[in-house]
Amino acid sequence: MLMPEPQTGHDRGTADPDRNTALAAALDRLSLEGAIFFRSEFTECWAYRSLTPEGMAETLHPGARRLIIFHIVAAGRCWVSPHGGERRWADRGDVIVLPYGDQHEMGGLQEAEVVPIETLFEPPPWDSLPIVRHGEGGDRTDIVCGYLHSGDPLFDPGLRAFPPVFVVRPPEGPMAQWVRSSIDYAVAVSENSLPTGSIPTQLPELLLVEAVRLHLASAPAADNGWIAAIRDPVLAPALAQLHARPGHKWTVAELASSAAVSRSLLDERFRKVLGRSPIRYLTDWRMHLATGLLATTDHGVAVIARRVGYDAEEAFSRAFKRATGSSPGTWRAAKTAVAREL
């Protein structure tokens, strides 16, 4: 399969091909190993719980501590919830990524009993791509599932550079067409019971890289120093703290203490590598998280404001409008309208 020209943009937004040259170069150098491992046909009502990260790694890639898990929604609509947390919704053509392979639950539009995923298929090794069929015979949701393994710091669960789960909708154009073609190919492989060894390993690798590229396009300083920052001995521990607790009322002094450096050194590194102060980066990171929550959850604006560190909805709305040019409600309505048109 031919790789589409790299595109960037918000998780459910439009592409901007002029951004993220450094990010694209860094992602192109990622070392990944992966495979598409099964296709699922779920019918309402349905829900399942995945294996633990350790159990998933032992089952699919012995020797790995954790895997990166992704799901492509080929048809229908579903939700995913890591750690029993909030539900993120995904529609046809969306790519769901669990960058640390966290245990999670998935389900459809109606409430259903949650069953362990391992009860729905025979354990590997598989001679051909397995098909999981589960549900009560109602409306159908098709999902293509895959995994990857990487030792890159980008996927270090200690740093938590990503949320536990994120949903990416490729913008219309070559990328979306390529994802659809990849889904069709995976479905064809499973329907024809072709040997698992006939599936090109590059397919899940390319899908994951493009999903990460799209997600990070709206991350603070993604277009210059973000990848370098998570490898920086001064910045990495500070970023780990900010990413793990974005709602905390951080001060530069507290952040510097957590990273075991002076305030002046921390501020200097943030400005030199990321082009902004620590507190400005925190604000921008909160807005990055907020756009994801607005796009993929049903939470009200007040709930999202509290999740990303704002006690008052009004203060959050002002900060969001400064960052995006729209109020949270207007931004969500526009994204919803675009999603319905696709």
Side-chain angles (χ1 to χ4, degrees):
M1 284 190 176
L2 295 177
M3 184 65 179
E5 288 298 316
Q7 297 190 51
T8 59
H10 293 289
D11 287 13
R12 304 173 81 89
T14 57
D16 181 354
D18 296 326
R19 296 191 65 223
N20 298 337
T21 301
L23 176 62
L27 291 177
D28 288 342
R29 292 193 296 269
L30 276 179
S31 176
L32 295 165
E33 306 170 11
I36 287 176
F37 59 96
F38 64 78
R39 178 168 66 91
S40 303
E41 296 176 359
F42 296 118
T43 55
E44 297 290 344
C45 307
W46 65 275
Y48 77 82
R49 179 181 298 108
S50 75
L51 294 167
T52 64
E54 297 77 15
M56 186 78 73
E58 180 62 28
T59 299
L60 298 173
H61 197 104
R65 291 179 54 219
R66 281 177 177 256
L67 299 176
I68 306 158
I69 305 298
F70 68 88
H71 305 285
I72 307 169
V73 183
R77 190 167 197 250
C78 65
W79 56 263
V80 59
S81 171
H83 299 309
E86 66 215 358
R87 293 181 175 183
R88 300 279 187 130
W89 288 92
D91 298 292
R92 181 178 65 87
D94 288 355
V95 181
I96 302 168
V97 180
L98 293 111
Y100 313 110
D102 292 331
Q103 188 171 32
H104 59 282
E105 296 179 356
M106 290 187 70
L109 298 176
Q110 302 177 46
E111 292 300 318
E113 177 185 1
V114 179
V115 301
I117 188 67
E118 61 268 28
T119 65
L120 303 180
F121 58 84
E122 294 294 325
W126 301 305
D127 293 329
S128 60
L129 198 67
I131 301 177
V132 173
R133 293 183 172 93
H134 175 62
E136 300 179 9
D139 292 340
R140 188 167 129 182
T141 297
D142 291 353
I143 300 173
V144 177
C145 307
Y147 76 89
L148 297 107
H149 173 255
S150 177
D152 193 277
L154 188 63
F155 300 105
D156 180 354
L159 177 60
R160 291 278 166 175
F162 300 103
V165 60
F166 57 89
V167 179
V168 171
R169 164 160 293 171
E172 277 301 299
M175 178 57 191
Q177 295 169 10
W178 180 74
V179 169
R180 285 193 288 268
S181 297
S182 299
I183 293 171
D184 293 342
Y185 179 77
V187 169
V189 168
S190 61
E191 287 180 341
N192 292 303
S193 298
L194 297 178
T196 54
S198 67
I199 305 171
T201 57
Q202 295 92 339
L203 179 57
E205 296 167 19
L206 296 176
L207 279 169
L208 188 278
V209 167
E210 285 306 301
V212 169
R213 193 193 310 275
L214 287 166
H215 174 74
L216 289 182
S218 61
D223 52 349
N224 48 59
W226 196 86
I227 293 290
I230 65 171
R231 293 169 168 79
D232 186 280
V234 172
L235 294 177
L239 291 176
Q241 293 291 330
L242 294 179
H243 294 167
R245 302 168 62 197
H248 182 68
K249 299 184 184 303
W250 290 102
T251 65
V252 176
E254 184 182 10
L255 192 60
S257 177
S258 71
V261 296
S262 68
R263 286 179 292 178
S264 59
L265 176 59
L266 185 70
D267 185 77
E268 176 189 355
R269 293 302 295 166
F270 263 90
R271 293 178 186 276
K272 181 176 181 179
V273 178
L274 292 168
R276 63 205 69 197
S277 70
I279 301 305
R280 173 59 188 273
Y281 176 87
L282 173 60
T283 299
D284 292 345
W285 185 256
R286 286 170 169 173
M287 297 302 106
H288 172 63
L289 297 178
T291 57
L293 291 169
L294 286 166
T296 63
T297 74
D298 297 326
H299 294 328
V301 174
V303 172
I304 293 174
R306 290 192 295 271
R307 286 293 307 276
V308 299
Y310 289 82
D311 294 330
E313 180 180 342
E314 294 79 9
F316 167 70
S317 295
R318 288 195 297 270
F320 190 89
K321 188 169 185 178
R322 283 196 299 271
T324 66
S326 303
S327 68
T330 300
W331 190 94
R332 170 179 267 171
K335 296 302 173 185
T336 300
V338 169
R340 287 173 178 168
E341 292 174 359
L342 296 179

Short mmCIF file of all heavy atoms in Angstrom, two decimals, residues 193-214:
data_model
loop_
_atom_site.label_atom_id
_atom_site.label_comp_id
_atom_site.label_asym_id
_atom_site.label_seq_id
_atom_site.Cartn_x
_atom_site.Cartn_y
_atom_site.Cartn_z
N SER A 193 -9.89 -15.84 5.19
CA SER A 193 -9.11 -16.75 6.04
C SER A 193 -7.68 -16.91 5.54
O SER A 193 -7.12 -18.01 5.53
CB SER A 193 -9.79 -18.12 6.13
OG SER A 193 -11.07 -18.00 6.71
N LEU A 194 -7.07 -15.80 5.12
CA LEU A 194 -5.70 -15.86 4.66
C LEU A 194 -4.76 -16.05 5.85
O LEU A 194 -5.09 -15.67 6.97
CB LEU A 194 -5.33 -14.57 3.91
CG LEU A 194 -6.12 -14.28 2.64
CD1 LEU A 194 -5.68 -12.95 2.05
CD2 LEU A 194 -5.95 -15.40 1.62
N PRO A 195 -3.59 -16.64 5.62
CA PRO A 195 -2.65 -16.82 6.72
C PRO A 195 -2.26 -15.48 7.34
O PRO A 195 -2.11 -14.49 6.64
CB PRO A 195 -1.43 -17.49 6.05
CG PRO A 195 -1.98 -18.10 4.80
CD PRO A 195 -3.09 -17.19 4.36
N THR A 196 -2.08 -15.49 8.68
CA THR A 196 -1.71 -14.25 9.36
C THR A 196 -0.39 -13.71 8.85
O THR A 196 -0.15 -12.51 8.85
CB THR A 196 -1.63 -14.47 10.87
OG1 THR A 196 -0.73 -15.57 11.13
CG2 THR A 196 -2.98 -14.81 11.45
N GLY A 197 0.50 -14.59 8.41
CA GLY A 197 1.80 -14.15 7.91
C GLY A 197 1.72 -13.37 6.62
O GLY A 197 2.69 -12.75 6.21
N SER A 198 0.56 -13.38 5.97
CA SER A 198 0.42 -12.66 4.71
C SER A 198 0.07 -11.20 4.91
O SER A 198 0.01 -10.44 3.96
CB SER A 198 -0.67 -13.32 3.85
OG SER A 198 -1.95 -13.15 4.45
N ILE A 199 -0.17 -10.78 6.15
CA ILE A 199 -0.53 -9.39 6.43
C ILE A 199 0.74 -8.56 6.57
O ILE A 199 1.58 -8.85 7.42
CB ILE A 199 -1.34 -9.28 7.74
CG1 ILE A 199 -2.56 -10.20 7.68
CG2 ILE A 199 -1.75 -7.84 8.00
CD1 ILE A 199 -3.28 -10.31 9.00
N PRO A 200 0.94 -7.54 5.75
CA PRO A 200 2.15 -6.72 5.88
C PRO A 200 2.23 -6.07 7.25
O PRO A 200 1.29 -5.43 7.71
CB PRO A 200 1.97 -5.66 4.77
CG PRO A 200 0.96 -6.24 3.83
CD PRO A 200 0.07 -7.09 4.66
N THR A 201 3.37 -6.23 7.93
CA THR A 201 3.52 -5.63 9.26
C THR A 201 3.58 -4.12 9.18
O THR A 201 3.36 -3.44 10.17
CB THR A 201 4.79 -6.16 9.94
OG1 THR A 201 5.93 -5.88 9.11
CG2 THR A 201 4.70 -7.66 10.16
N GLN A 202 3.89 -3.58 7.99
CA GLN A 202 3.98 -2.12 7.87
C GLN A 202 2.61 -1.46 8.03
O GLN A 202 2.53 -0.28 8.38
CB GLN A 202 4.56 -1.72 6.51
CG GLN A 202 6.01 -2.14 6.31
CD GLN A 202 6.08 -3.50 5.64
OE1 GLN A 202 5.12 -4.27 5.69
NE2 GLN A 202 7.22 -3.79 5.02
N LEU A 203 1.53 -2.20 7.78
CA LEU A 203 0.21 -1.58 7.82
C LEU A 203 -0.13 -1.01 9.19
O LEU A 203 -0.46 0.18 9.29
CB LEU A 203 -0.85 -2.59 7.37
CG LEU A 203 -2.30 -2.11 7.37
CD1 LEU A 203 -2.46 -0.88 6.49
CD2 LEU A 203 -3.23 -3.23 6.90
N PRO A 204 -0.07 -1.77 10.28
CA PRO A 204 -0.37 -1.17 11.58
C PRO A 204 0.64 -0.11 11.99
O PRO A 204 0.28 0.85 12.67
CB PRO A 204 -0.36 -2.37 12.54
CG PRO A 204 0.44 -3.42 11.85
CD PRO A 204 0.17 -3.23 10.39
N GLU A 205 1.89 -0.27 11.58
CA GLU A 205 2.89 0.73 11.93
C GLU A 205 2.54 2.08 11.30
O GLU A 205 2.59 3.13 11.97
CB GLU A 205 4.27 0.26 11.45
CG GLU A 205 4.77 -1.00 12.14
CD GLU A 205 5.96 -1.61 11.44
OE1 GLU A 205 6.62 -0.88 10.66
OE2 GLU A 205 6.25 -2.80 11.67
N LEU A 206 2.21 2.08 10.03
CA LEU A 206 1.87 3.32 9.34
C LEU A 206 0.59 3.94 9.89
O LEU A 206 0.49 5.15 10.05
CB LEU A 206 1.73 3.07 7.84
CG LEU A 206 3.00 2.61 7.11
CD1 LEU A 206 2.69 2.30 5.66
CD2 LEU A 206 4.10 3.66 7.22
N LEU A 207 -0.39 3.09 10.21
CA LEU A 207 -1.64 3.59 10.78
C LEU A 207 -1.38 4.28 12.12
O LEU A 207 -1.91 5.36 12.39
CB LEU A 207 -2.63 2.44 10.97
CG LEU A 207 -3.42 2.00 9.74
CD1 LEU A 207 -4.14 0.70 10.02
CD2 LEU A 207 -4.41 3.08 9.33
N LEU A 208 -0.58 3.66 12.96
CA LEU A 208 -0.31 4.23 14.28
C LEU A 208 0.44 5.55 14.17
O LEU A 208 0.09 6.53 14.84
CB LEU A 208 0.48 3.22 15.12
CG LEU A 208 0.73 3.51 16.61
CD1 LEU A 208 1.90 4.43 16.84
CD2 LEU A 208 -0.52 4.03 17.32
N VAL A 209 1.45 5.59 13.32
CA VAL A 209 2.24 6.82 13.17
C VAL A 209 1.36 7.97 12.69
O VAL A 209 1.44 9.10 13.20
CB VAL A 209 3.42 6.60 12.21
CG1 VAL A 209 4.05 7.94 11.81
CG2 VAL A 209 4.48 5.72 12.87
N GLU A 210 0.48 7.71 11.74
CA GLU A 210 -0.38 8.78 11.24
C GLU A 210 -1.39 9.21 12.30
O GLU A 210 -1.71 10.40 12.42
CB GLU A 210 -1.09 8.32 9.97
CG GLU A 210 -0.19 8.30 8.75
CD GLU A 210 0.50 9.64 8.52
OE1 GLU A 210 -0.19 10.66 8.35
OE2 GLU A 210 1.74 9.67 8.56
N ALA A 211 -1.92 8.27 13.08
CA ALA A 211 -2.85 8.63 14.15
C ALA A 211 -2.16 9.49 15.20
O ALA A 211 -2.70 10.50 15.67
CB ALA A 211 -3.43 7.37 14.79
N VAL A 212 -0.94 9.13 15.57
CA VAL A 212 -0.18 9.92 16.55
C VAL A 212 0.15 11.29 15.97
O VAL A 212 0.05 12.31 16.66
CB VAL A 212 1.11 9.18 16.95
CG1 VAL A 212 2.03 10.08 17.75
CG2 VAL A 212 0.77 7.94 17.77
N ARG A 213 0.51 11.32 14.70
CA ARG A 213 0.83 12.60 14.06
C ARG A 213 -0.36 13.56 14.12
O ARG A 213 -0.24 14.74 14.45
CB ARG A 213 1.24 12.36 12.61
CG ARG A 213 1.89 13.54 11.91
CD ARG A 213 1.97 13.32 10.41
NE ARG A 213 2.54 12.04 10.03
CZ ARG A 213 3.85 11.80 9.91
NH1 ARG A 213 4.71 12.77 10.17
NH2 ARG A 213 4.28 10.61 9.54
N LEU A 214 -1.54 13.05 13.81
CA LEU A 214 -2.74 13.87 13.84
C LEU A 214 -3.08 14.33 15.26
O LEU A 214 -3.47 15.47 15.48
CB LEU A 214 -3.92 13.09 13.24
CG LEU A 214 -3.88 12.90 11.72
CD1 LEU A 214 -4.88 11.84 11.29
CD2 LEU A 214 -4.17 14.22 11.01
#
